[in-house]
Amino acid sequence: MMSFKNTIIGLTLLSAYAGSALAEDIIRHPIPNSDFPILQAVEIPSDSTTVYLSGTVPSIINEDADPNSMEAFGTTEEQTVTVMNRIKSHLEGLGLGVGDIVKMQAFLVAPEGETVDFKGFMAGYTQFFGTEEQPNLPVRSAMVVDALVNPGWLVEIEVTAVRP
């Protein structure tokens, strides 16, 4: 039979082990031999809280334009920046930041008769990820879709963050 003293020692060791497990960090795996600003993979400790944000769409930047037009929301780069600023604000309201994002899905639309402005998307994206101020990168998928709900939207982004 285990003594009270041995039980206390065992529980102390168990709690010390559990404490170190709680201190596990997110492991971010960059793409080998690449400077492209996304991750190949990310590992999340099992004791982390995962936060899923709904798809976020651009803000109107031109109040004088038709609210169903691209002129109201701007270029792909401008829309990416307003979407990311909205995501940043939502995360801050939850006590998180852009650096806590671990996964992103970007839905991009090509203006009629054109191709998707991926360069514009990346110009907006890199203002928030892989910077000196915020070096963390997420895993990411970018998809070209036929349309979004508002005909003026070229960008919708959905993210998953982890509470540190």
Side-chain angles (χ1 to χ4, degrees), residues 31-107:
I31 299 171
N33 305 314
S34 174
D35 61 355
F36 197 69
I38 64 171
L39 297 175
Q40 174 178 282
V42 63
E43 294 180 53
I44 310 299
S46 62
D47 61 336
S48 299
T49 300
T50 307
V51 179
Y52 303 90
L53 262 61
S54 289
T56 303
V57 296
S59 300
I60 290 178
I61 61 172
N62 180 356
E63 297 286 339
D64 296 328
D66 175 354
N68 291 311
S69 70
M70 288 187 316
E71 291 76 24
F73 297 96
T75 64
T76 298
E77 180 178 352
E78 291 168 326
Q79 290 192 28
T80 301
V81 170
T82 65
V83 168
M84 286 305 306
N85 278 325
R86 292 183 75 197
I87 288 171
K88 181 180 177 185
S89 178
H90 294 317
L91 289 171
E92 288 172 351
L94 297 169
L96 297 166
V98 173
D100 297 314
I101 295 172
V102 294
K103 183 176 192 301
M104 172 187 285
Q105 291 181 289
F107 304 92

Side-chain angles (χ1 to χ4, degrees), residues 109-158:
V109 175
E112 192 171 330
E114 299 179 32
T115 60
V116 166
D117 182 12
F118 192 71
K119 185 177 179 180
F121 169 72
M122 289 302 295
Y125 170 88
T126 55
Q127 293 178 39
F128 296 86
F129 296 98
T131 66
E132 194 171 307
E133 303 81 37
Q134 200 299 99
N136 290 343
L137 299 173
V139 294
R140 188 191 78 204
S141 298
M143 293 148 274
V144 176
V145 297
D146 187 46
L148 295 168
V149 174
N150 183 310
W153 295 341
L154 301 175
V155 178
E156 181 171 350
I157 298 175
E158 190 176 286

Side-chain angles (χ1 to χ4, degrees), residues 20-39:
S20 68
L22 293 175
E24 287 181 293
D25 289 328
I26 295 169
I27 301 170
R28 297 172 188 262
H29 301 277
I31 299 171
N33 305 314
S34 174
D35 61 355
F36 197 69
I38 64 171
L39 297 175

